[in-house]
Amino acid sequence: MSAAPLRTPGAGGLSITAAAHAEDLAELPWDQPLAEWPVQKLVGLPRGISRHVVRFVEISGAIVAVKETREHLAVREYYMLKDLVRLDVPCVRPLGFVRGRRDRDGNPLDCALLTTHLRFSLPYRALFTRSMDSGTAARLVDALAVLLVRLHLVGFFWGDVSLSNTLFTRDAEAFQAFLVDAETGELHEELTDGQREHDLTLAHTNIAGEFMDLQAGGLIDPHVDPLGVSERLRERYTELWQEITRTETFSTAERWRVDERVRRLNELGFDVGEIAVTTDIDGVTAHLEPKVVAPGHHVRRLKRLTGVDAKENQARRLLNDLDQYRTSLEYEGLSEEEAAARWKREVFDVVLGAVPADLSGKLEPAQIFHEFLDHRWLRSEAEQRDVPLQEATASYIAEVLRHRRDEASYIRAVDEQDSDTAGFYPPDPQGEHP
């Protein structure tokens, strides 16, 4: 639903612009400064350090963050966050803004920016209820480096990079970072090296200060070097940026090297949205354009194009192979749908069709194909050649699949057993529970 202004009758010109919950939002005490809102109206969530007053309220079952700021800043940030959401950048989602606020004596109050609370997210200080080691500090900074690269790829100049302006969620052993404050941000067609360097320099200064503050508060192992951790962000960012933006030249017989490049990008946490292949006298230039996509994107796209059911990581892997197939010179000019149908028939179905019936229950079909791609790549890398489909399929079945446990039967056996571990919370690898 698009945001639309709601004029509240008898409220002295109060204007609520919101994508949802506008009527319920009107019931909040907008005639009081946010710092004075009654506790009964608030939700107790951890807040990061902010130059503005921020409070959380529950509206129609949803938790909303309310930030008090100047009107032009609130309106600008609202539309900036909308642009970032449209670009699939990890950030909080804007809900609306409230203008025309006055207290009971008629004195003007600041505007309020409304964003939806990101579930399971925490400000960086809330992650450290006891001494944090250097490994945790490094993972936190790594997550911020990934976020900064993603922002810069879409042309977003942050202008105020810091841990305080970021929220973090746990992602297996790592963290994922989300932009929470876009007040100083600017969106450009493309950033200059100077703009990127400005963000990096600011990040280096701010993060060093934030870690020094944590150390002073006894929340960081005294052996952690704040300057060293801060410098890690620059190193990690530079590594990611160079890997993502460089182009490579391959010969027509080195398709496996394109797959190798895609693997490296996936390991760094980026997906490849497009592989553009051009030919010239010297060979083939493969240009990989990273694209950050929403969760479930790959599953939906694979299902739409091929009808194949898969989990997200499996789907991403299969789509990478499909996209490479489409860009091969032999099939240049095919539409996405035509290429997908041909890939399904001439690649996916050929591999799955070669699996003997007695081995078909070993793994799910998408997992079988995923493992086949891994096997083919490893052989190609070892032999420095493109291993043909039929040859790779036969060796995968004989050398890998035949020795796998029959997971279909194994899952059924586990499901039939009584378990004492219902509700068991496994140990956190880092020793930190949410």
Side-chain angles (χ1 to χ4, degrees):
M1 181 186 300
S2 61
L6 168 70
R7 300 287 179 181
T8 308
L14 184 72
S15 173
I16 300 176
T17 301
H21 315 305
E23 297 290 345
D24 292 327
L25 287 167
E27 301 301 318
L28 293 173
W30 297 115
D31 58 351
Q32 300 177 42
L34 209 54
E36 298 176 9
W37 277 19
V39 175
Q40 299 89 329
K41 294 284 185 182
L42 306 180
V43 176
L45 290 175
R47 298 191 299 272
I49 298 174
S50 173
R51 67 176 69 90
H52 305 290
V53 178
V54 179
R55 295 291 184 266
F56 295 97
V57 295
E58 185 174 355
I59 300 292
S60 304
I63 296 177
V64 176
V66 185
K67 179 173 79 172
E68 224 166 30
T69 185
R70 299 290 182 85
E71 179 176 326
H72 72 281
L73 295 177
V75 174
R76 182 181 181 279
E77 186 171 5
Y78 170 77
Y79 286 107
M80 181 65 70
L81 287 171
K82 285 191 69 173
D83 285 337
L84 293 178
V85 169
R86 174 179 54 82
L87 292 169
D88 262 347
V89 169
C91 65
V92 295
R93 293 184 172 267
L95 178 62
F97 49 88
V98 182
R99 295 183 288 186
R101 298 176 60 209
R102 292 186 176 275
D103 64 18
R104 293 185 179 88
D105 298 323
N107 300 311
L109 297 174
D110 277 342
C111 185
L113 174 68
L114 312 172
T115 57
T116 55
H117 174 63
L118 183 64
R119 295 189 67 209
F120 301 110
S121 67
L122 291 169
Y124 78 101
R125 293 182 67 88
L127 290 166
F128 315 123
T129 55
R130 59 179 177 272
S131 183
M132 176 183 68
D133 62 22
S134 58
T136 306
R139 291 183 293 113
L140 196 71
V141 169
D142 286 352
L144 183 55
V146 172
L147 174 63
L148 190 57
V149 168
R150 289 179 170 178
L151 291 168
H152 285 178
L153 283 172
V154 300
F156 182 78
F157 170 71
W158 197 340
D160 195 11
V161 188
S162 68
L163 296 172
S164 297
N165 289 335
T166 312
L167 287 174
F168 296 88
T169 59
R170 295 183 183 276
D171 184 7
E173 293 82 14
F175 294 108
Q176 182 175 4
F178 294 80
L179 179 144
V180 70
D181 192 327
E183 185 176 292
T184 59
E186 300 173 0
L187 201 55
H188 301 269
E189 190 70 27
E190 185 177 347
L191 294 186
T192 65
D193 289 344
Q195 287 171 317
R196 294 192 302 105
E197 178 60 31
H198 181 90
D199 265 354
L200 280 173
T201 300
L202 190 62
H204 185 277
T205 301
N206 286 343
I207 291 169
E210 287 167 326
F211 274 99
M212 288 177 183
D213 183 53
L214 287 173
Q215 204 163 51
L219 297 176
I220 283 188
D221 187 307
H223 297 99
V224 172
D225 176 13
L227 291 176
V229 173
S230 181
E231 184 58 35
R232 180 185 175 91
L233 180 129
R234 180 183 289 275
E235 294 170 355
R236 178 67 166 159
Y237 173 94
T238 301
E239 173 194 0
L240 289 171
W241 187 263
Q242 291 177 348
E243 181 65 37
I244 285 166
T245 57
R246 67 184 173 87
T247 59
E248 294 181 274
T249 301
F250 308 100
S251 73
T252 54
E254 295 179 308
R255 183 170 174 264
W256 62 273
R257 289 183 60 192
V258 180
D259 186 59
E260 182 180 52
R261 178 74 188 283
V262 172
R263 283 170 172 272
R264 288 199 302 271
L265 288 169
N266 290 163
E267 288 169 0
L268 292 171
F270 289 85
D271 295 317
V272 176
E274 181 180 338
I275 303 175
V277 178
T278 58
T279 59
D280 53 36
I281 295 175
D282 300 321
V284 177
T285 301
H287 176 70
L288 281 66
E289 176 192 339
K291 181 180 179 182
V292 182
V293 293
H297 165 88
H298 300 97
V299 170
R300 294 189 296 271
R301 181 180 171 224
L302 183 68
K303 182 71 172 177
R304 173 177 61 83
L305 291 173
T306 68
V308 174
D309 289 312
K311 297 182 177 68
E312 182 71 5
N313 288 333
Q314 295 168 344
R316 180 178 66 186
R317 187 71 180 88
L318 271 60
L319 285 168
N320 282 341
D321 191 68
L322 189 162
D323 289 337
Q324 291 177 44
Y325 176 88
R326 182 186 174 194
T327 60
S328 63
L329 299 178
E330 184 179 355
Y331 302 116
E332 192 173 85
L334 289 179
S335 70
E336 184 179 51
E337 291 73 16
E338 290 169 334
R342 200 159 182 173
W343 173 86
K344 170 84 162 44
R345 182 174 66 251
E346 298 182 0
V347 181
F348 184 83
D349 289 347
V350 168
V351 173
L352 271 296
V355 176
D358 63 313
L359 302 182
S360 61
K362 293 279 187 178
L363 300 166
E364 294 174 297
Q367 184 66 20
I368 287 176
F369 192 81
H370 165 78
E371 290 197 354
F372 156 76
L373 292 175
D374 281 345
H375 177 76
R376 186 183 189 186
W377 175 74
L378 287 170
R379 279 202 55 185
S380 296
E381 185 184 48
E383 300 174 23
Q384 296 291 289
R385 68 182 179 99
D386 264 342
V387 178
L389 183 74
Q390 289 78 7
E391 180 184 341
T393 301
S395 64
Y396 165 70
I397 292 171
E399 299 170 17
V400 180
L401 184 61
R402 187 165 295 280
H403 303 286
R404 285 282 187 264
R405 179 174 57 198
D406 190 329
E407 291 195 356
S409 299
Y410 179 76
I411 291 170
R412 284 196 295 272
V414 171
D415 288 343
E416 290 166 1
Q417 295 175 358
D418 292 328
S419 173
D420 308 346
T421 59
F424 171 71
Y425 190 87
D428 187 329
Q430 284 72 45
E432 304 167 5
H433 290 286

